[in-house]
Amino acid sequence: MISPDLDTVAVSRPSYLCGLIGSGISKSLTPPLHEAEGQAQGVGYVYRILDLDTLALGEDALPRLLASAKLLGFDGLNITHPCKQAVIPLLDDLSDDARTLGAVNTVHIANGRLIGHNTDWSGFARNMDEGLGGAPTDRVVQLGAGGAGAAVAYAALTRGVLHFTIIDADATRAQLLRDSLAAMFPDRVVVSGDLSAVPAAIGQAQGLINATPLGMAQHPGMALDAELLRPDLWVADVVYRPAETELLRRARDIGARTLSGIGMAVGQAVDSFRIFTGLEPDALRMQEHMRRLLAEEDSAALAASPS
């Protein structure tokens, strides 16, 4: 039997080129997460960072970056802050969810066309399904109406929340999101408020979602007073670095059910990988790899810290 020519095998092996556009993303874990799943699937997979800060570019560079991605044969791009809305006018079409939410975090490039999708909402919905099964969802409070807030709120309402309260330091922003969601879900009660509404809203709620940056390594702390937490109040966070935020730790310490942001981060990556490649990713494998990446990051930080 004649052994196959290695060059022929390499040429016939499916390969994908993808990337991430945004600001301050040089340390993103998305590239190794996607590349590891590509390797496990037996395909070539290269994922590149296009950090606007590192490249000294602004949002006005988006048209050039998208044109370059098409020219260079990219199969897809993930889009993050501050480009999720700015990218929309530059696309050829949108999926229904991206059009509904008015935000894009995933762009599929195929046959010279740029198609925008939103996998932030589906990532959080997947996380709720897997991590909060059976939890009561009649009344839920969400803190944060910003970039992630709309997708997370939409996901929560698709998962059956009946009374949803959106609270943000910017009351106008909370009201605008409330109005949008109320139009999408006319059979639900959707209300909004500023930070003064937090105690009363949480006092009546069964669940709490943190969709603010508070809890991230660069934004430590909590978006509410820890005394408002209760054992019967489930708590979900969109932050995944660190894996356990102060909010989740405080909630867990008093016996509350908690949901880490890791599931959302992996869930949106799972859906993006599928869109980019047409292959079915292994969600559990990707979650395990993300946990390893986070553990390695924590170990490296500990080793670098002064004794």
Side-chain angles (χ1 to χ4, degrees), residues 7-281:
D7 290 337
T8 302
V9 172
V11 170
S12 62
R13 182 190 189 200
S15 62
Y16 302 91
L17 174 60
C18 303
L20 173 65
I21 296 177
S23 293
I25 55 173
S26 61
K27 297 182 180 180
S28 172
L29 298 180
T30 300
L33 181 63
H34 275 252
E35 291 180 347
E37 181 60 19
Q39 182 178 19
Q41 294 269 358
V43 299
Y45 201 104
V46 176
Y47 195 106
R48 292 289 180 247
I49 290 288
L50 301 173
D51 190 334
L52 297 180
D53 294 349
T54 301
L55 297 171
L57 298 173
E59 289 180 47
D60 58 348
L62 268 177
R64 284 181 288 149
L65 291 174
L66 293 175
S68 296
K70 287 172 62 175
L71 182 64
L72 294 171
F74 274 67
D75 296 286
L77 294 165
N78 284 126
I79 309 294
T80 190
H81 177 80
C83 304
K84 290 184 180 183
Q85 286 79 38
V87 74
I88 290 178
L90 307 174
L91 304 178
D92 296 302
D93 201 359
L94 297 173
S95 66
D96 290 342
D97 46 20
R99 185 176 291 107
T100 296
L101 290 167
V104 164
N105 79 315
T106 300
V107 176
H108 185 209
I109 305 174
N111 301 317
R113 287 169 52 81
L114 303 170
I115 313 299
H117 299 259
N118 188 299
T119 67
D120 284 333
W121 86 267
S122 57
F124 189 80
R126 180 195 299 273
N127 202 22
M128 284 191 71
D129 292 344
E130 296 176 353
L132 287 176
T137 56
D138 289 344
R139 301 180 73 96
V140 173
V141 175
Q142 177 175 303
L143 305 181
V152 170
Y154 180 78
L157 288 163
T158 65
R159 290 313 188 255
V161 175
L162 301 177
H163 189 290
F164 194 73
T165 302
I166 304 158
I167 295 175
D168 195 276
D170 184 337
T172 300
R173 182 164 66 173
Q175 180 67 36
L176 288 172
L177 179 54
R178 178 265 161 208
D179 293 346
S180 175
L181 292 169
M184 292 184 228
F185 299 91
D187 59 333
R188 316 296 173 81
V189 177
V190 185
V191 299
S192 66
D194 61 17
L195 296 180
S196 66
V198 170
I202 291 181
Q204 299 177 347
Q206 298 164 314
L208 168 67
I209 301 170
N210 175 48
T212 77
L214 287 173
M216 296 173 65
Q218 57 268 50
H219 299 288
M222 296 170 53
L224 76 162
D225 189 328
E227 294 183 0
L228 297 174
L229 300 175
R230 312 185 309 271
D232 64 328
L233 178 77
W234 58 260
V235 179
D237 211 325
V238 302
V239 175
Y240 72 98
R241 297 167 83 181
E244 185 176 66
T245 60
E246 182 179 353
L247 171 63
L248 294 184
R249 180 178 59 78
R250 292 290 194 98
R252 179 177 53 77
D253 285 348
I254 63 170
R257 191 171 179 179
T258 62
L259 185 66
S260 166
I262 292 176
M264 177 181 176
V266 173
Q268 66 82 22
V270 165
D271 292 341
S272 292
F273 185 97
R274 183 186 302 108
I275 290 168
F276 293 156
T277 67
L279 302 171
E280 186 58 37

